[in-house]
Structures are given as structure tokens and as C-alpha cells.
Amino acid sequence: MEALDVARWQFGIVTVYHFIFVPLTIGLAPLVAVMQTIWTFTGKENWYRLTKFFGKLLLINFAIGVVTGIVQEFQFGMNWSEYSRFVGDVFGAPLAIEGLAAFFVESTFLGLWIFGWDRLPKKIHLACIWAVAVATNASAFFILAANSWMQHPVGAIFNEQTGRAEMVDFGAVLTNNTLVAAYTHTVASAMLVAGTFVAGVAGWLLVRAVRNSDTSLARTVYRPAALLGLVTIVIAGAGVVVSGDYQAKLMYEQQPMKMSSAEALCEGENGADFSLLTIGDLSNSCEGVQHILTLPGVTSYLGTGDFDGYLPGVEDLQTQYEEQYGEGVDYRPNLALTYWSFRLMIGFAAGSAALAVVGLWLLRRGRITDSRWFGRLCLVAIPMPFVAASFGWIFTETGRQPWVVAPNPTGVDLVWMLTADGLSTTVPVGEVLASLLTFTVLYTVLAVVWFTLMRRYAAIGVAPAASGPSSGAKPDDPGGTDGSAESESEPLSFAY
């Protein structure tokens, strides 16, 4: 096993594991802010209890996400030093802004929110959670700015004397059309994850409350939360579809090899079908590949907006890239992984859609339900958008291979890099393998801790009504809580 293979495995495992937590934090922070906003301006105690409940789950997820995210940037200098040397002037800028600005704002105001429940005026305290939500999404923006530059480099030139890419237009980096597409799609996906999480947890607790004859709790607390999550699924789902369509068309222009690989399209054709199942050899040889259960012209539409549009095949593009960038390199990504990750991304996202349809029907016009199968559907649906988002990133990153910085087909000459060329030249395979095994074991332990905490506190449900603010508290009251709020801050603060 070569150092390149081990380093890629390590980066892939660490990235996918970290991304399990990222979309929930991005999406759940604004939903918790919405819950607290409703409580602040209406004084309805059920929204206070929901804010506390889902805020606690947000903090658990945030804490594990921070721990796993720290490792990400260290890998650039340790395993991928040649990559860092080549693109550091460009790639480092948005990452620095994310760390020095967005993440510090996020962490600072999260601390104020955790410990400020009985110390800050209600509207100031509300502003803190909104600052967290905005900073979380800003953090995602700057990270995606760096990643989108790797997908479609802009605003840079190649300095032949230093052999490095140098930034000449930071504005172009921040307005990269690849970034616009990636950011809207990622945020919409994150809201889909969070909406499914809120709807799934609240729906399961609603069924449990009704079966325990606590219909008041089900109707006044869990039903509003479930509806908030279900409506979020519908809105975010529409955003995912629209942004995904735009992203696919950009992909056809900027990385046609990725688009053709997503369909395992070996030879170019007009009106390329979208196959639900493919059999044959997908090991990049394209021998005996047969598409079955196809949707006519859909792949061409995804790429060109025309059901009869032309898409080049991977073999055509391999020949083209050999002429452009040199022979001796297989410019095709892993066809099997690219093909199936694209379909699994779409398939698992359908779980959220199923929950939205069933949930909105069962809870229509003030209804609540004690259906066991709905409770089970809630539990089954919760992990599905997490898995879909992970497969989306797997598709995005593996489909770009063998490039770590994909060439811009419309300009920025010589600003590209093969993944093999970005590897550190002085790190032996044994050290990379040792760190891979260490991180895998450590992250497995963290996964168990995360799942145990999330399951435990989700199963407890919202706090009893007596632990909420006093019934006389007004929305504009600076304290807004009774003496019990101080005891409530402890469960929230443990995860910070």
C-alpha cells in the first residue's frame, strides 16, 4: 500500500465523519433561533421548553463537530504539504477568515447564549443565538469558498518563478459561481437534515406522549415542533432540488468527466438516459456496461437543460484530457463509486420527503396520532438525510479525481494539480497508516459518545412545565425566567 492511498483514505474518513455533524449544526442553529424568537415575542412557554430541549442537542452536536474538525486543517500541512505549498496563498485566505472571524463569533456568542439565560435581557439573549446561526452559516461559506476554488479555480495566476498559484482577485474567489451553487445546495441540504431531525424527534415523542395518555404535552409541545420540522423539510427540499439542478449544469460545463461518470456514460450521446440500475464492469474499463431501468433523457437534461442534449462519454474525455494535460494519467474517477454515490445521495434524501408527506397528513387540522408505525418512520427517517449529505460529499470529491485542483476549462492557465502531486514527499507510509488507525479508533469512540448523548437527551424529552419561565413573565421582561432557569443552564453548559 502506497502513502498516497493511505493519505487519501485518511482524509476521506476524517472528512466524511466530520461532515456527519456539520449539516445538523448549520441547520439546527437557525431552527433553535426561530423557536426562541417565537417564545420571546409571544411568551408561549411551550416554545421556551422546545428551545431548551433542541438547544441541548445542538450543543452536543456542536461540541463533537468542533473536536473532529480541528484535525482537518492539520492534514494539509502533514500529509499534503506539496498541495499546501502550491495553493496556500489562495486556499489559506478563506480558511483563515473562517477561523479568525466566523468561528470565533460563533463560539463567543454560543458561550453567551449558554450562560446568559438568567443573566441577559431576553432580546439580547435572543440576538446571541441568531449571531450563532449567522456565524455558523458564514463559516460554511468560507470553507466552501476554499473547496469551490479547488473545483473551479478563479482569481489566481500561476507564478512560473515560484511554481505556485497566487491570488490576484479575492472578490472573484468569493463570487465564484461554483461557490454560489455549492453554498446554496449545502445550506439547503443542512436545513433538510435539521428539519428531518426536529420532525423525527418531535414526531416520535408525540406518539409516545399520546400512547402515555399525555395528549396535552403532545398537542401543545411536540406537535408544533413536528410541524416546524415538517415545513422546513418541504421548503429545504425544494431548495435542494433547485440548487442541485443548477449545480449539475455547472458541473457539465466545468467538470464534464464528473457528470458523465455519474451516469457511467462511456461513450458520448444525445439524449443520455438516467439509469436507476447499471450492471457490468464499472472498474473504469467500461466493458459490458448495461444501463437498465432508465429515465429517458434525464441525464442530458441535468447537464444541459435539454432532454436531447449531448453529453460526452468518459472515454471521449479521457482522450481529450490526454491531449490537453498529458498522457500516462487515468483522468477517469472511480466509476462505481461516482455512479452509486450519486444515486444513494438522491435515494436517501427521499426518506425526508416520505416523512414530510406522512407527517403533514397525520397532523393536519390540529390532529395528533398514536400510530406506532409513524413513530418508527420518524426514527428511520432521522439518519437518512445525514447519509444522503455524506454521499453527496463523496460524489463531489471522488468525482473530481484524479485532480486535487481541477483545471478551469475557461481560463486560469496552469492552475491545476493532480492529487498524486499534492502528497507530502517526506512522510513515510508507516506514519500515515499509524495516524489513520489512530484517528479511526478515536473517531469510533467519539461516535459512540455522540450517539449515546444524543439518544439519551432526545429520549428524555422536553423539561416539565414547572421548569420553564414563570407564567407572569412577559416577552420584554429582561429576566424572563423564574429561579428555575439557573438550574436549567447546567444541562446546556456541560457540552460547551
Side-chain angles (χ1 to χ4, degrees):
M1 184 175 292
E2 298 181 357
L4 175 63
D5 299 320
V6 181
R8 288 184 63 187
W9 270 107
Q10 178 174 299
F11 201 90
I13 290 173
V14 171
T15 301
V16 171
Y17 183 89
H18 174 61
F19 197 71
I20 293 174
F21 313 105
V22 169
L24 183 58
T25 298
I26 294 173
L28 190 55
L31 288 184
V32 171
V34 168
M35 295 175 189
Q36 186 169 343
T37 300
I38 297 174
W39 169 63
T40 299
F41 289 98
T42 67
K44 293 181 179 180
E45 182 242 4
N46 60 322
W47 288 105
Y48 168 86
R49 296 161 68 189
L50 287 169
T51 302
K52 287 279 193 170
F53 173 64
F54 283 105
K56 188 183 303 181
L57 300 178
L58 170 65
L59 291 175
I60 296 170
N61 191 75
F62 178 83
I64 301 294
V66 169
V67 172
T68 58
I70 292 174
V71 178
Q72 291 288 89
E73 294 183 8
F74 283 105
Q75 290 185 94
F76 294 125
M78 295 171 65
N79 294 344
W80 303 97
S81 60
E82 288 301 306
Y83 164 79
S84 299
R85 185 195 65 80
F86 180 68
V87 303
D89 288 351
V90 183
F91 190 78
L95 291 184
I97 295 175
E98 186 275 333
L100 295 175
F103 180 71
F104 280 158
V105 171
E106 180 183 2
S107 302
T108 300
F109 281 97
L110 187 62
L112 291 171
W113 186 74
I114 293 169
F115 299 108
W117 275 100
D118 54 339
R119 296 174 178 87
L120 295 175
K122 286 179 68 173
K123 290 183 179 178
I124 297 298
H125 188 255
L126 172 64
C128 290
I129 188 61
W130 275 113
V132 171
V134 172
T136 299
N137 282 268
S139 179
F141 176 83
F142 289 112
I143 291 174
L144 286 170
N147 181 269
S148 296
W149 187 87
M150 296 166 63
Q151 307 280 349
H152 182 239
V154 294
I157 61 172
F158 179 72
N159 187 324
E160 294 184 4
Q161 294 181 340
T162 62
R164 302 172 64 186
E166 296 181 356
M167 184 188 300
V168 294
D169 187 352
F170 190 50
V173 175
L174 296 184
T175 56
N176 189 347
N177 56 2
T178 306
L179 170 59
V180 174
Y183 181 70
T184 53
H185 192 63
T186 300
V187 171
S189 300
M191 295 305 300
L192 183 67
V193 169
T196 304
F197 181 80
V198 170
V201 171
W204 181 80
L205 290 171
L206 180 148
V207 172
R208 186 181 71 175
V210 174
R211 297 189 72 85
N212 290 337
S213 301
D214 195 347
T215 56
S216 176
L217 180 65
R219 192 176 300 278
T220 61
V221 177
Y222 294 133
R223 184 177 180 275
L227 287 176
L228 174 63
L230 294 169
V231 171
T232 301
I233 292 174
V234 174
I235 297 173
V240 168
V241 172
V242 173
S243 61
D245 179 67
Y246 175 54
Q247 199 171 29
K249 289 171 175 55
L250 270 183
M251 187 192 310
Y252 169 71
E253 297 175 7
Q254 299 170 357
Q255 299 182 43
M257 180 68 86
K258 183 188 295 186
M259 189 68 190
S260 297
S261 299
E263 182 49 44
L265 186 65
C266 297
E267 303 293 338
E269 62 180 77
N270 293 92
D273 299 341
F274 182 89
S275 60
L276 302 178
L277 180 63
T278 291
I279 59 175
D281 186 1
L282 291 179
S283 61
N284 288 30
S285 66
C286 278
E287 294 181 2
V289 173
Q290 298 182 22
H291 301 295
I292 56 179
L293 299 177
T294 61
L295 301 176
V298 171
T299 297
S300 284
Y301 179 81
L302 291 175
T304 66
D306 181 359
F307 285 99
D308 196 41
Y310 176 79
L311 284 184
V314 294
E315 298 296 340
D316 306 321
L317 292 167
Q318 172 68 23
T319 301
Q320 175 187 328
Y321 289 176
E322 286 178 351
E323 296 174 355
Q324 284 184 269
Y325 309 113
E327 298 181 354
V329 177
D330 187 353
Y331 294 101
R332 298 166 295 187
N334 185 306
L335 288 186
L337 185 57
T338 307
Y339 177 89
W340 284 113
S341 60
F342 187 69
R343 279 147 186 79
L344 290 171
M345 171 188 68
I346 298 172
F348 277 104
S352 297
L355 178 62
V357 171
V358 174
L360 288 172
W361 175 257
L362 292 177
L363 301 182
R364 71 192 187 282
R365 298 178 182 176
R367 289 178 172 85
I368 54 178
T369 179
D370 64 350
S371 171
R372 286 185 182 273
W373 68 265
F374 176 64
R376 294 191 183 100
L377 174 62
C378 290
L379 295 180
V380 170
I382 288 174
M384 287 193 172
F386 286 87
V387 178
S390 295
F391 275 116
W393 269 113
I394 291 171
F395 167 73
T396 298
E397 298 306 308
T398 59
R400 184 182 69 229
Q401 298 302 318
W403 303 102
V404 65
V405 178
N408 184 332
T410 60
V412 194
D413 292 338
L414 301 179
V415 179
W416 62 69
M417 174 176 266
L418 293 169
T419 303
D421 295 334
L423 186 68
S424 298
T425 58
T426 58
V427 180
V429 63
E431 292 184 9
V432 183
L433 183 60
S435 61
L436 168 62
L437 296 175
T438 300
F439 284 132
T440 301
V441 172
L442 177 61
Y443 279 19
T444 300
V445 173
L446 288 175
V448 173
V449 172
W450 173 77
F451 179 78
T452 301
L453 289 173
M454 293 291 278
R455 182 178 182 275
R456 176 186 300 172
Y457 284 98
I460 291 173
V462 300
S467 67
S470 61
S471 58
K474 299 178 181 179
D476 293 327
D477 188 14
T481 60
D482 60 12
S484 63
E486 186 169 355
S487 64
E488 278 270 271
S489 67
E490 294 180 3
L492 281 168
S493 64
F494 85 94
Y496 182 65

